[in-house]
Amino acid sequence: MHVLIVDDEVEFLSLIQKRLEHRDIKVTTASSASDAIRLVQKADPQFDAVVMDVRMPGMDGLEGLHRMKQVAPRLPVILLTGHASLNVAVSGMELGAFDYLLKPIAINELIIKLEDASRTGAL
């Protein structure tokens, strides 16, 4: 499995990357939604799933999700945030998010969601 993790917090990206790679998951990281969209456009091979933070400077995760779905409509995107908000969750799902998870997240829960998302994207 090859996943793209998008978050403006560099320490979080590094930690998640190490923890996922320790479990034999290939990880690419991006520190902004615009960088993530560029990576998805040129990805070869394609990513199996994306985990994207909602709150980021510049383009936020919801706008990033919207644009990413225009580029790769079948790519499953899991939104991730440290700020619980029903409105954000509903908006994300309406824009085509696969799921919505809250930080801090247990690595095993994230892996289960990534496996589910990967299977869904392959259909």
Side-chain angles (χ1 to χ4, degrees), residues 100-113:
Y100 180 87
L101 299 171
L102 296 175
K103 289 179 183 177
I105 183 166
I107 195 70
N108 289 337
E109 181 181 0
L110 178 58
I111 291 170
I112 289 168
K113 291 294 182 187

Side-chain angles (χ1 to χ4, degrees), residues 33-34 37 52 59-69:
S34 56
I37 292 165
M52 185 164 15
M59 185 188 311
D60 70 10
L62 291 176
E63 180 64 22
L65 168 65
H66 175 71
R67 293 187 186 187
M68 195 169 287
K69 285 299 183 176

Side-chain angles (χ1 to χ4, degrees), residues 66-118:
H66 175 71
R67 293 187 186 187
M68 195 169 287
K69 285 299 183 176
Q70 292 174 334
V71 172
R74 295 174 48 91
L75 180 61
V77 178
I78 299 169
L79 294 177
L80 185 62
T81 187
H83 310 278
S85 166
L86 182 58
N87 291 339
V88 170
V90 170
S91 295
M93 299 308 275
E94 288 174 349
L95 288 170
F98 176 78
D99 209 338
Y100 180 87
L101 299 171
L102 296 175
K103 289 179 183 177
I105 183 166
I107 195 70
N108 289 337
E109 181 181 0
L110 178 58
I111 291 170
I112 289 168
K113 291 294 182 187
L114 286 170
E115 289 171 347
D116 289 347
S118 178

Side-chain angles (χ1 to χ4, degrees), residues 27-40:
V27 177
T28 299
T29 62
S31 58
S32 71
S34 56
D35 287 347
I37 292 165
R38 281 191 289 275
L39 286 168
V40 167

